[in-house]
Amino acid sequence: SQMSSTRCEIFNWFFIPLVISLFVIFIIPSSSVYELLILRGLTLFFTLAHIHYGVCVIRQMCKHFNVYSFVLGKRKPTLAKK
């Protein structure tokens, strides 16, 4: 099958905000007061990023299969754009 030949990426862009926040929490001494706030911000960021990714994947799949999401009918054929 096609999926068996796929590999994960070596670098994930989510590591950048994670490393920055860990650097701030562990290296800067006064940041321990804001540790919970920083971690809540990270949680919010990662949650919104995953929701955005999911919405984009659903839109691409709907466009590819010519269907509407959460609707049982097919789309009307559209003219190809030049």
Side-chain angles (χ1 to χ4, degrees):
S1 92
Q2 179 104 7
M3 290 301 291
S4 63
S5 64
T6 59
R7 294 185 182 185
C8 65
E9 296 179 14
I10 294 174
F11 180 77
N12 189 331
W13 290 102
F14 282 179
F15 287 140
I16 293 173
L18 182 62
V19 168
I20 291 171
S21 63
L22 289 174
F23 177 79
V24 168
I25 290 170
F26 288 118
I27 304 301
I28 301 173
S30 64
S31 67
S32 63
V33 175
Y34 300 108
E35 180 178 356
L36 187 58
L37 184 63
I38 292 170
L39 293 177
R40 284 182 179 169
L42 267 180
T43 302
L44 180 64
F45 171 75
F46 287 139
T47 301
L48 292 175
H50 276 91
I51 290 171
H52 172 72
Y53 175 76
V55 168
C56 289
V57 167
I58 299 262
R59 283 183 180 172
Q60 288 176 1
M61 289 178 67
C62 288
K63 186 175 180 181
H64 176 75
F65 292 118
N66 199 25
V67 295
Y68 292 110
S69 58
F70 307 112
V71 177
L72 296 177
K74 277 195 166 192
R75 287 186 180 184
K76 293 180 183 178
T78 59
L79 297 175
K81 294 183 180 180
K82 293 182 180 180

